[in-house]
Amino acid sequence: MENIALVLFPALMVFAAFSDLLTLTIPNMISLVLILLYFALSAWIGTPLFVITLHVCCGLVVLAISFVLFEMGIIGGGDAKLASATALWLGFENLMDYAVAFSFIGGGLAMAIISLRWHTHADQGQSVSLLGRLADKAVNRMPYGVALGIAGMLLYPHSTIWHGLAGV
């Protein structure tokens, strides 16, 4: 059972990343499942209430920050919810590493997509293919869920849930 539980977080991160890449949306259900799964697994492995409380506070801090970024039009609502749910899993002890990883990955992703848009002719951007949608200059959004998912998976082995499930 522990092995199945260990892969649930990465599976949800991959699903969120591909959903955002293909549709530029992250379903609310992913963030909701991540939150519920965090509490279920924390209870199952016996995470102390104090640690759970700190992780909830971390998720709320990220929600507040990401809400401001959403209001400024920098990130989407799905990105804000996914970042907050991921912060719940990672806690304050991994938050800075998560932010740095997301920033570098997201920055690289943004530069690649901007370069693609810059070097693509207007008529090529009208394609319904994935590359065509990403290259479309009329689309003013970035699939940051890809960066959030990758960064989350990179930091997951450092989380209390991972340690509890893996017996580390």
Side-chain angles (χ1 to χ4, degrees):
M1 185 65 174
E2 283 85 5
N3 291 337
I4 293 171
L6 279 170
V7 299
L8 291 174
F9 178 83
L12 288 165
M13 291 287 108
V14 168
F15 185 76
F18 274 102
S19 176
D20 203 19
L21 183 64
L22 298 173
T23 67
L24 292 175
T25 59
I26 301 170
N28 291 335
M29 189 57 68
I30 294 173
S31 298
L32 180 61
V33 169
L34 281 169
I35 292 166
L36 295 174
L37 192 57
Y38 171 80
F39 287 113
L41 291 176
S42 290
W44 187 38
I45 63 173
T47 304
L49 184 57
F50 177 73
V51 173
I52 294 171
T53 302
L54 285 174
H55 281 242
V56 168
C57 290
C58 182
L60 291 173
V61 165
V62 171
L63 182 62
I65 293 167
S66 58
F67 180 75
V68 171
L69 295 173
F70 169 73
E71 284 297 313
M72 294 171 61
I74 297 172
I75 64 172
D79 300 325
K81 290 175 261 188
L82 181 63
S84 302
T86 305
L88 172 70
W89 280 71
L90 298 177
F92 286 116
E93 62 271 21
N94 295 302
L95 186 58
M96 287 306 296
D97 292 335
Y98 179 59
V100 169
F102 161 70
S103 297
F104 278 108
I105 297 165
L109 176 69
M111 288 190 315
I113 291 173
I114 289 169
S115 177
L116 179 67
R117 289 176 183 169
W118 183 265
H119 291 90
T120 303
H121 297 288
D123 58 340
Q124 290 175 318
Q126 301 304 317
S127 171
V128 293
S129 70
L130 170 62
L131 196 56
R133 280 193 305 273
L134 291 175
D136 189 351
K137 291 175 178 78
V139 175
N140 193 23
R141 295 164 47 193
M142 293 283 171
Y144 286 124
V146 174
L148 291 167
I150 293 170
M153 287 188 293
L154 288 172
L155 274 294
Y156 178 49
H158 302 284
S159 70
T160 56
I161 295 288
W162 175 278
H163 288 245
L165 290 170
V168 178

